[in-house]
Amino acid sequence: MSPNIIIFIIFSTNFYIHTYSLTHWEDIQSLKHFRNGVVSTSITPGSCLSTWDFTVDPCDSLSGEKFTCGIRCDVVLSNISRITEISLDRAGYSGSLTSSSWNLPFLQTLDLASNYFSGPIPGSFSRLTRLTRLSVSTNLLNGSIPDSPGSLPGSLEELLLDNNGLHGPIPLSLNGLKNLKRLELQGNQLSGEFPELTQLGNLSFLDVSNNVISGYLPASFPASLIELAIRNNSLQGNIPANIINNSVYLQVLDLSYNNLTGEIPAELFTHPSLQQLTLAYNRVGSIETPDNWGRNSVLIAVDLSNNDIHGFLPEFMGWMPDLSALSLENNKFSGVIPTQYAVKAVAEDGGGVGPFERLLLGGNYLFG
């Protein structure tokens, strides 16, 4: 057989595989690159990656003994399947994410949470142009959050980078993720001032707790927020009176374990949707009384414990209709406990307001 015939046969075979393979050949190559980047000793028998055998077609083998878990495929064009989801089990995989080309243009979900992947967040994630959910929570990633525009897919709706070793500032470029609904950055070593992320018009959940964020609170947050947690950082200064006025849907606000000072603004007690307010373990010194004594408040739980609040107990809190859990312990309150507190604590109907189910006043200078 002549060399020309051999070359033609090899070329024809490759063309046949690329044309008629159920899984697109580029997706197979990307899966191989990712699999090769995982430390082999971390792939244990019975884990998802242990079933990834590339002697068979991945999307044609999901119901067999190979590729039993970890990927999802969808037919998108001309009977060719594309990888649309990679969700690994919590099997203790280790290795780097930068070894893969991440050339998976139809991938919608990438979930590698609760493993031991290390190294930086790959810049090649930008190639995942249809990705809506990225979760690398609870790994050993380090480096900074990519800060150049387009370094993360603009299609993202959920970005979960929590509980890693990421450091540096929270980049302002995150404002470019216009579809983002959930952002979890808690449990890292992120530093610097908290940026204004008001351009994230769809963001409903934001958690940056347990970092080393410093400086002052921004003047406002995204209008769509429902839950905001910046617990256990190094924030300082006053709480801006209009901090959540723009966030009309906010239900949970947790700024505990910081170094906030000054007065707690009345606006926090009259917000139209806020149900849980936690400002414990700060250094605030006083509480501003709302004009209507909080009678239109929807707050259910308020924790202002372990601050430097002085003066009389805020009587208006006894008239807040839905407030059932109140902690004011370990402050510098003095004087008589308001009668309405007692009524609300023991009565089924505290004068038209719901009863206290949990009331903590210890560690103050009270009598009565």
Side-chain angles (χ1 to χ4, degrees):
M1 182 180 295
S2 69
N4 291 336
I5 296 177
I6 295 175
I7 292 173
F8 176 78
I9 292 175
I10 293 175
F11 174 79
S12 298
T13 303
N14 285 339
F15 181 79
Y16 179 85
I17 292 174
H18 293 174
T19 304
Y20 297 101
S21 171
L22 187 63
T23 308
H24 194 280
W25 68 273
E26 289 183 338
D27 290 10
I28 295 177
Q29 290 301 314
S30 291
L31 288 179
K32 286 181 178 179
H33 291 159
F34 170 63
R35 171 68 168 73
N36 291 337
V38 178
V39 176
S40 59
T41 55
S42 70
I43 302 175
T44 56
S47 65
C48 283
L49 286 184
S50 69
T51 69
W52 286 21
D53 184 346
F54 292 97
T55 61
V56 298
D57 184 280
C59 294
D60 194 32
S61 307
L62 298 181
S63 59
E65 297 181 355
K66 309 297 183 182
F67 290 94
T68 57
C69 60
I71 65 171
R72 189 186 80 224
C73 302
D74 287 302
V75 177
V76 296
L77 183 66
S78 302
N79 296 321
I80 300 297
S81 289
R82 305 303 299 254
I83 305 297
T84 56
E85 178 176 345
I86 299 177
S87 294
L88 295 187
D89 47 345
R90 280 61 168 160
Y93 305 117
S94 61
S96 172
L97 301 180
T98 57
S99 60
S100 175
S101 62
W102 297 109
N103 188 22
L104 295 165
F106 288 86
L107 194 69
Q108 299 172 14
T109 298
L110 178 59
D111 188 344
L112 309 176
S114 300
N115 283 288
Y116 297 101
F117 291 108
S118 58
I121 298 172
S124 50
F125 275 172
S126 61
R127 297 175 181 170
L128 304 174
T129 54
R130 288 181 174 84
L131 196 69
T132 59
R133 186 174 193 271
L134 172 59
S135 175
V136 288
S137 305
T138 317
N139 277 279
L140 301 174
L141 299 179
N142 52 40
S144 59
I145 300 173
D147 62 353
S148 58
S151 54
L152 290 170
S155 54
L156 278 174
E157 296 179 5
E158 296 184 26
L159 178 58
L160 284 63
L161 306 178
D162 55 287
N163 295 296
N164 281 282
L166 300 174
H167 55 79
I170 299 173
L172 195 60
S173 61
L174 290 178
N175 275 305
L177 303 179
K178 304 297 186 182
N179 298 312
L180 202 61
K181 298 177 181 178
R182 188 177 189 92
L183 177 59
E184 297 196 29
L185 303 175
Q186 69 271 23
N188 283 287
Q189 301 169 28
L190 300 172
S191 58
E193 294 190 357
F194 194 91
E196 287 204 10
L197 299 175
T198 52
Q199 296 180 42
L200 297 178
N202 292 300
L203 191 67
S204 60
F205 183 94
L206 173 59
D207 193 345
V208 293
S209 302
N210 302 314
N211 282 285
V212 286
I213 303 297
S214 58
Y216 300 95
L217 285 165
S220 61
F221 288 91
S224 53
L225 271 180
I226 295 176
E227 185 167 342
L228 170 62
I230 319 180
R231 180 179 59 254
N232 194 26
N233 279 278
S234 300
L235 295 172
Q236 61 185 4
N238 297 336
I239 302 172
N242 60 345
I243 183 174
I244 58 174
N245 285 1
N246 186 50
S247 303
V248 295
Y249 306 107
L250 192 68
Q251 297 179 10
V252 178
L253 176 62
D254 188 350
L255 302 176
S256 58
Y257 291 90
N258 281 284
N259 296 310
L260 298 172
T261 55
E263 185 175 57
I264 301 174
E267 285 81 356
L268 295 183
F269 303 106
T270 58
H271 189 275
S273 62
L274 190 62
Q275 299 178 15
Q276 181 177 322
L277 174 63
T278 307
L279 299 175
Y281 290 92
N282 279 283
R283 296 190 292 118
V284 294
S286 61
I287 301 171
E288 183 183 10
T289 300
D291 292 337
N292 61 0
W293 277 41
R295 292 179 186 272
N296 63 345
S297 172
V298 296
L299 277 164
I300 297 172
V302 173
D303 187 354
L304 308 181
S305 62
N306 297 280
N307 277 280
D308 293 323
I309 308 174
H310 54 273
F312 298 125
L313 287 174
E315 188 172 352
F316 74 89
M317 290 187 179
W319 294 100
M320 293 166 64
D322 298 323
L323 187 63
S324 62
L326 174 61
S327 177
L328 299 174
E329 60 184 346
N330 299 323
N331 278 284
K332 296 178 180 178
F333 290 112
S334 59
V336 179
I337 298 173
T339 302
Q340 183 59 25
Y341 277 41
V343 173
K344 189 174 171 66
V346 300
E348 290 295 326
D349 183 358
V353 298
F356 279 135
E357 296 180 6
R358 180 181 175 87
L359 176 62
L360 303 175
L361 303 176
N364 286 288
Y365 305 98
L366 305 171
F367 61 91

